Amino acid sequence: MMKYVSGFQKLIIKAIILMMVVVILSSTLEIGWIILSDLIKPPVVFLNVEKVLDIFGLFFLVLIGIELLETIKMIINESTLNVDVIILVGITAIVRKVMIIDLKTTPPLFLVGMGVLVIALAGAYYLINRSGKEFRCELK
C-alpha cells in the first residue's frame, strides 16, 4: 500500500513541477510584455513610479516561483525539506508585499503585523543558521 502512496506522491510532485514551470514561464513572458508595451507608450521610454512598483512586484513573484520550484526539486532529489529554505521563501514573499504596499491606504495595524512577521522570520532564520544544525523534514 505504501508503495502506491509513494508513487502517487511522486506523480503529484511531478505534476506540480510542470505547472510551476508553465506559471513561471508565463509570468516571465507577461513581465516582458508589460515592460515592452509600457516603454513604447507615450511618453516613450518612461515608466511612472506605480508601474515600476508593479513590475518589481511581478519580478518578486517570479523569484518566489523559482524558489518554490527549487524546493520541490529538493523534495524529489533528497526526499527532505530544509526548513531554512522555506523560511527564505517566506521572507522573499514578505519583501515582495512590503515593496508593493501603498502606505497611504494601508491600515497601521497591518504594517505592525508585517513588521512582526519580518522580525519573526528573520529571527528564526538567524537562529537556525547560528545553531549550525540542519533542520530537515524527512519525507518518506
Side-chain angles (χ1 to χ4, degrees):
M1 178 69 172
M2 293 308 288
K3 182 175 131 181
Y4 295 116
V5 171
S6 179
F8 177 73
Q9 281 179 334
K10 288 181 181 179
L11 179 68
I12 294 298
I13 290 172
K14 288 178 183 178
I16 288 173
I17 286 176
L18 181 63
M19 289 184 280
M20 287 293 297
V21 167
V22 169
V23 168
I24 291 170
L25 179 63
S26 171
S27 299
T28 304
L29 293 174
E30 182 176 350
I31 291 170
W33 177 256
I34 289 170
I35 292 171
L36 183 65
S37 65
D38 285 345
L39 287 176
I40 61 174
K41 286 181 189 173
V44 179
V45 192
F46 289 108
L47 297 173
N48 63 23
V49 174
E50 291 174 8
K51 196 52 118 170
V52 170
L53 288 176
D54 289 344
I55 291 170
F56 281 165
L58 292 173
F59 278 129
F60 271 108
L61 274 177
V62 171
L63 289 175
I64 291 168
I66 290 170
E67 285 297 323
L68 287 173
L69 189 60
E70 282 296 317
T71 303
I72 293 168
K73 282 180 10 186
M74 185 184 342
I75 290 171
I76 286 181
N77 293 335
E78 302 174 13
S79 294
T80 60
L81 185 62
N82 285 351
V83 174
D84 59 339
V85 173
I86 298 299
I87 291 174
L88 284 175
V89 170
I91 290 171
T92 306
I94 295 297
V95 166
R96 177 203 169 267
K97 186 67 176 173
V98 168
M99 292 268 310
I100 64 171
I101 208 165
D102 183 11
L103 294 176
K104 295 175 185 170
T105 60
T106 305
L109 192 57
F110 180 80
L111 296 174
V112 170
M114 292 290 282
V116 169
L117 190 55
V118 167
I119 291 169
L121 286 172
Y125 187 74
Y126 172 77
L127 291 173
I128 287 171
N129 279 338
R130 180 138 191 238
S131 72
K133 298 178 183 177
E134 285 192 8
F135 293 91
R136 294 176 174 243
C137 299
E138 295 286 330
L139 304 171
K140 294 184 181 186

